[in-house]
């Protein structure tokens, strides 16, 4: 049946609180006619490429979350919520910023404008999808050395000059830091599972498919227990391979959704953002 389908049209209608990433309705063009997927097809995702399915669900969840946030006219930080951005990471970042009383706003590719001087946060997720959603113009904006930006996990891969993923090397289009990001680190947690990790200065964070960095011009801010670089900083740029935005107590819902262990208090994430705001 899958071979008879034309262009896939996904319409995410909503989700319950218990299953925030459940696809409730989708339609496909099948033999020239548009039809709704059956419950069985929705349950198995058999007609939807895995990453397309995830991108659509994550995007819808991020948009719904953004709509519920109070409008902030002069944000000091903007958090990207487009396709490829993992909702638990994006939502946790916003929560920490709000708790720290740092005005923030969630932005998307079609509205990817931010006030001069605002820090851009690229949360975790799937870097190739984020790159495709941002497009060349927005990637150029992020490439500007004057733009202050923080990348988390996938966002850190995106901002590196080179990525080595599962042994294959890729040149990435932003290159904010002359750094090689190598991952996933299966000795810490086999992708896509997450694990609690204690960094060299004592902070407990979540590792979930992030990298270890090699850089000549960047400053290493935190290391994994074995000494590999986990967080590095350059000019107006911070790359964190670990999820330091999560709070073990306040983000129990997000950690459950992500199937990650309860770890962290978010203080390190706020510290990194403030270092860019100074």
């Amino acid at each position: 049946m899958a071979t008879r389908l034309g262009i896939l049209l996904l319409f995410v209608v909503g989700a319950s609180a218990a299953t925030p990433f459940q696809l409730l309705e989708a339609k496909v063009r099948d033999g020239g006619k548009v039809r709704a997927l059956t419950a069985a097809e929705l349950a198995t995702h058999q007609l939807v490429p895995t990453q397309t399915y995830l991108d659509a669900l994550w995007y819808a969840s991020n948009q719904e979350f953004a709509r519920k946030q109070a409008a902030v006219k002069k944000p000091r930080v903007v958090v990207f919520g487009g396709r490829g951005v993992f909702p638990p990471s994006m939502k946790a970042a916003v929560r920490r910023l709000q708790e720290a009383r740092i005005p923030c706003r969630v932005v998307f590719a079609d509205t990817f404008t931010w006030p001069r001087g605002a820090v851009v946060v690229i949360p975790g997720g799937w870097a190739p999808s984020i790159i495709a959603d941002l497009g060349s113009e927005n990637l150029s904006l992020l490439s500007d050395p004057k733009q202050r930006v923080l990348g988390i996990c996938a966002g850190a891969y995106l901002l590196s000059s080179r990525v080595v993923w599962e042994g294959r090397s890729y040149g990435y289009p932003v290159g904010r830091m002359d750094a090689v990001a190598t991952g996933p680190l299966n000795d810490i947690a086999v992708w896509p599972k997450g694990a609690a990790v204690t960094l060299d200065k004592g902070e407990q964070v979540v590792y979930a498919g992030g990298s270890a960095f090699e850089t000549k011009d960047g400053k290493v801010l935190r290391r994994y227990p074995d000494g590999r670089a986990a967080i590095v900083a350059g000019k107006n740029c911070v790359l964190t391979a670990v999820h330091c935005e999560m709070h073990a107590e306040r983000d129990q819902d997000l950690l459950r959704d992500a199937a990650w262990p309860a770890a962290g208090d978010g203080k390190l994430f706020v510290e990194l953002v403030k270092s860019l705001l100074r």
Side-chain angles (χ1 to χ4, degrees), residues 40-96:
E41 289 167 344
L42 288 172
T44 61
H45 319 163
Q46 64 186 23
L47 301 181
V48 185
T50 300
Q51 195 55 47
T52 299
Y53 176 88
L54 292 175
D55 286 349
L57 267 61
W58 294 355
Y59 186 56
S61 179
N62 291 347
Q63 285 189 315
E64 180 64 21
F65 178 81
R67 281 195 292 268
K68 294 179 179 179
Q69 306 308 306
V72 177
K73 294 182 178 180
K74 295 182 179 180
R76 299 189 68 197
V77 178
V78 293
V79 182
F80 185 64
R83 287 175 176 81
V85 170
F86 192 36
S89 178
M90 186 273 289
K91 294 175 183 178
V94 172
R95 287 179 181 180
R96 300 293 84 75

Side-chain angles (χ1 to χ4, degrees), residues 212-252:
F213 299 106
E214 295 179 26
T215 178
K216 294 181 179 179
D217 64 348
K219 178 182 179 181
V220 178
L221 301 182
R222 296 292 188 280
R223 296 182 182 274
Y224 292 105
D226 64 2
R228 290 175 292 184
I231 303 176
V232 294
K235 182 179 180 181
N236 294 324
C237 181
V238 174
L239 281 58
T240 170
V242 292
H243 289 274
C244 55
E245 75 278 16
M246 308 304 297
H247 194 293
E249 297 298 325
R250 298 172 189 163
D251 293 334
Q252 291 184 21

